[in-house]
Amino acid sequence: LGWIAWPFLWQKDSTWKPAGTKEGFVSKHHQTLFWEFAGMVMLKLGLTEGEKILLMVLFNAQQWGVFGLVSNLGSIVLRLLFAPIEEIAYSVFSAASLDPEKPDSRKAQVSLLRALLLLQGGVGWLGLCFGPSFA
């Protein structure tokens, strides 16, 4: 990657500049967008892999294994429970967005959204209330 980017970033020869621009090969606006995107990528990497780094630094191998087992088993249960609800909501809301002229459609969407939030919130509260006692 460095071999490809080298001529564009560090070589000041005018042969790399496109005709009609004084900024060089990449405009300042695009450079700003690139650095914003790079920052978002680094933030996402830190948030997704940060728990693994903290586990490696702060805990021993046995505690790390227990965390991995509980995390994977918990995510399987939640995927099996919430994936059908997510698919139903996606299909209903995307089908209703194709015909936005129906006034009853909006009320039905709000009613369905409330029901789904109540269902998922109830499952979450059950897990929060009874989960620690069964752990």
Side-chain angles (χ1 to χ4, degrees), residues 31-61:
Q31 287 177 358
T32 304
L33 290 175
F34 170 76
W35 289 114
E36 280 185 35
F37 183 69
M40 287 189 290
V41 166
M42 294 305 293
L43 179 66
K44 184 178 185 234
L45 179 68
L47 291 174
T48 56
E49 302 297 326
E51 81 178 11
K52 293 176 187 170
I53 294 169
L54 286 176
L55 282 171
M56 288 174 54
V57 171
L58 299 176
F59 299 107
N60 61 21

Side-chain angles (χ1 to χ4, degrees), residues 81-130:
L81 185 66
F82 290 143
I85 296 171
E86 182 181 349
E87 289 176 11
I88 291 169
Y90 179 76
S91 64
V92 168
F93 291 136
S94 64
S97 68
L98 295 175
D99 193 15
E101 296 177 2
K102 292 183 180 178
D104 295 335
S105 173
R106 181 78 171 168
K107 289 181 182 179
Q109 285 181 351
V110 169
S111 175
L112 178 64
L113 181 63
R114 285 183 182 160
L116 290 175
L117 289 175
L118 182 66
L119 176 68
Q120 289 187 342
V123 170
W125 275 107
L126 283 173
L128 181 68
C129 292
F130 296 113

